[in-house]
Amino acid sequence: MYSVSSSSFISTFSPKPSLHLRHSSSSRLLPRINSTVVEERAPIINPSENNGPPHKKLYTRSNRNAVASPAKLRPETTLVTALFTTVEDVINTFIDPPSRPSVDPKHVLSGNFAPVLDELPPTECEIIHGSLPPSLDGAYIRNGPNPQFLPRGPYHLFDGDGMLHAIRIRNGKATLCSRFVKTYKYNVEKQNGAPVIPNVFSGFNGVTASVARGALTALRVLAGQYNPVNGIGLANTSLAFFCNRLFALGESDLPYAVRLTNTGDIETIGRFDFGGKLEMSMTAHPKTDPQTGETFAFRYSPVPPFLTFFRFDSTGKKQRDVPIVMRMNIMDLVLEGGSPVGADNRKTPRLGVIPRYAGDDSEMKWFEVPGFNIIHAINAWDENDGNAVVLIAPNIMSIEHTLERMDLVHSLVEKVKIDLVTGIVTRHPISARHLDFAVINPAFLGRRSRYVYAAIGDPMPKISGVVKLDVSKGDRDDCTVARRMYGPGCYGGEPFFVARDPGDQEAEEDDGYVVTYVHDEVAGESKFLVMDAKSPELEIVAAVRLPRRVPYGFHGLFVKESDINKL
């Protein structure tokens, strides 16, 4: 069995901002700040004022503005913090202002991309259509960027602190909880009352800005504001459950272990290095073999060897690194005045295939695939007695726009077959639609699968619906077999498939549900939708009105009740 990777390792997406968000008259908002919509902080209710009992951890919609903790007092600003903040304001104003829409907070954080400024304790939700099936007992959790502080300078969507939005389902009832992932970066900046650690995607735009921010960063470290050894990254991209642990993941740091409590609350356990075996960072998209329990991952970095492949066995023990030697010059991107992450159109894209138990990179085979730019792989499996690999993945047609102009990008899902003997690579499109953020039944990961559930870009990252694809159809056929559009002004997120009965080995591959969050920009409210995966129209079997807005985000995961009990 081989593992498939791409020589282009960009793992998330860049937004086309939404410029307006209309709300119903009952919505409570602060005034716009630089055209960015933010929610009003919930009023603080003091139980001593009415001599009532202490607040419980669960709230109904009638008192949903209540909070379970004291008011968040802004930390007293020290002289050092005030001085560094002033220097940073000078950099943001005169040296490196947010000159491009992709790093301008007025655009990036507009509409439902705006952050929610407070966490939400477990709060009861209203089921407004149908009923929640027993198969969904557990929790659907979605990760995404939600900056703790409104940006004072350049800001890219990828730079926000991670916030988890978890809908906990039990016996047909649901609660929603939204909590920040308490990374080292989050805690340091909360303590200082201001951003301290520079943003990766928006903080180093050209030589002058890089030198200025680099010098300020060095001074912050020397002054003891933070220790980069403890991590400087985010956990805002995805979630993964393996080794009987639940992790919040980002590409720029180690995984952060989190857990769900019996009440549906979310707790951050801490940064996790697997007993000192995992260094620096790892991909936000590890793959777990459902049959062996092994998890396969990689990391990339700005220093040699640039790319490293590794795996975890079924007990959670990390195995040795397999360095993959690559050529990269990150300074080229910095000197050209852009983000340190980007694409080089002068090079031909390659797919790398490596045995899952490879001892070193001499076993890696590279295949040039002109014009094929993969970001989110959907599935891959062996064929022809292991002499061929089939890959299902969206091809980003204009990769150079991924970080800057997502509205110009078109993702075409393709079926790629790599003959490991002859080196011949054949490709054909599965659908002409603009599709990404696609998933399958997780039980079929790494083996031949038939159905794909993909988000429809309108354009990305606004998602107007979901389609079901049958990849077993002929090479020249449109593989779309079902579709659900969310309606005017309604946009969703990445879909996720939940099997009706995960323990039934004879169940059909599409016997289950597709779930996602959807936001109605006209009514100003968010919902959780449950769709019948076998229905030709992906019929909605349950809709849950959420107690407050859930901003657009990245990747999600369903964790069944039995796995929650292991945390």
Side-chain angles (χ1 to χ4, degrees), residues 126-147:
E126 178 186 2
I127 300 174
I128 58 176
H129 174 78
S131 60
L132 293 168
S135 307
L136 294 185
D137 277 9
Y140 172 71
I141 317 168
R142 214 265 350 260
N143 203 344
N146 195 92

Side-chain angles (χ1 to χ4, degrees), residues 377-392:
I378 301 171
N379 199 18
W381 61 83
D382 293 335
E383 285 190 355
N384 302 342
D385 296 325
N387 291 320
V389 171
V390 175
L391 168 68
I392 309 294

Side-chain angles (χ1 to χ4, degrees), residues 230-241:
N230 295 327
I232 60 173
L234 304 160
N236 67 2
T237 306
S238 65
L239 298 112
F241 182 87

Side-chain angles (χ1 to χ4, degrees), residues 180-198:
F180 283 105
V181 182
K182 307 303 194 299
T183 61
Y184 176 72
K185 180 180 188 295
Y186 172 89
N187 288 330
V188 165
E189 294 180 344
K190 182 178 180 180
Q191 180 180 359
N192 282 274
V196 172
I197 300 176

